Amino acid sequence: MKELWPAGAKVNPAVEAELERLPATPIVELRKRYRELFKAEPPKAFGPDLLRRSIAHLIQERAYGGLPAATQRLLDQLVKAAATKPGARLELPRRIKPGSELVRTWNRRTYRVRILEKGFAYEGKTFASLSEIATSITGTRWNGPRFFGLRSAGSSDGGDGHAG
């Protein structure tokens, strides 16, 4: 069974019929359709496969909607990060739901932090950032997300996790 895109959207038979025809469409027709849709000449580097994919993407986006705003923002962030540091490893930001608990063992002691709607609860106090808690635990400045294992050691926010 064919899945709907996006989930729950009603299938548009005209759109689906055009998508079904694309694999057998000659390149001359693909270029013509590209011009119609994009109001521009297709890039010379685009072969039939990229033309089909570009056309299919735009047809589906117009019929069923584009990416959700949150996903688009995330992609924009990743593009910006890649442009800032080409070749660097990209990491998706992790979002932790309120009520979750972070557990970290450090110097043979286990520390638990609960995620709140606004802030973090640790030992009966509310903190604005994980870095404040990490600093409280270690006695030196730390990058809180890294201290609690939310960022890998290879991420670009500092060498060993120390904030200062």
Side-chain angles (χ1 to χ4, degrees):
M1 182 176 164
K2 199 172 199 175
E3 285 193 34
L4 302 178
W5 185 82
K10 291 185 179 181
V11 173
N12 180 329
V15 168
E16 296 302 314
E18 185 169 6
L19 295 175
E20 297 273 334
R21 287 190 303 269
L22 280 177
T25 303
I27 192 163
V28 173
E29 293 298 318
L30 291 172
R31 288 192 172 124
K32 179 180 173 190
R33 185 66 175 132
Y34 186 98
R35 284 185 213 102
E36 290 170 1
L37 290 170
F38 290 88
K39 309 289 185 219
E41 286 296 316
K44 291 183 179 183
F46 277 27
D49 188 52
L50 275 178
L51 287 170
R52 287 183 183 105
R53 290 172 187 257
S54 300
I55 292 167
H57 174 82
L58 191 58
I59 290 170
Q60 291 175 67
E61 187 176 76
R62 287 182 178 173
Y64 303 123
L67 294 172
T71 303
Q72 188 60 55
R73 279 193 302 273
L74 178 61
L75 289 173
D76 291 343
Q77 289 173 353
L78 290 172
V79 168
K80 186 177 177 181
T84 304
K85 293 186 178 183
R89 182 176 173 199
L90 296 177
E91 288 190 35
L92 293 173
R94 296 183 186 186
R95 295 187 176 92
I96 303 171
K97 293 181 180 177
S100 300
E101 186 176 72
L102 301 175
V103 180
R104 169 72 149 100
T105 301
W106 192 76
N107 280 350
R108 299 182 186 170
R109 184 174 165 206
T110 300
Y111 299 90
R112 296 178 184 278
V113 173
R114 194 163 45 91
I115 310 300
L116 306 174
E117 286 287 336
K118 292 183 178 180
F120 307 90
Y122 169 67
E123 291 192 336
K125 296 178 185 174
T126 300
F127 292 82
S129 75
L130 288 173
S131 295
E132 292 176 32
I133 298 169
T135 299
S136 171
I137 291 170
T138 64
T140 61
R141 292 183 59 195
W142 267 84
N143 178 301
R146 183 172 294 169
F147 180 80
F148 285 98
L150 300 176
R151 289 191 188 145
S152 68
S155 66
S156 59
D157 56 359
D160 61 358
H162 286 87

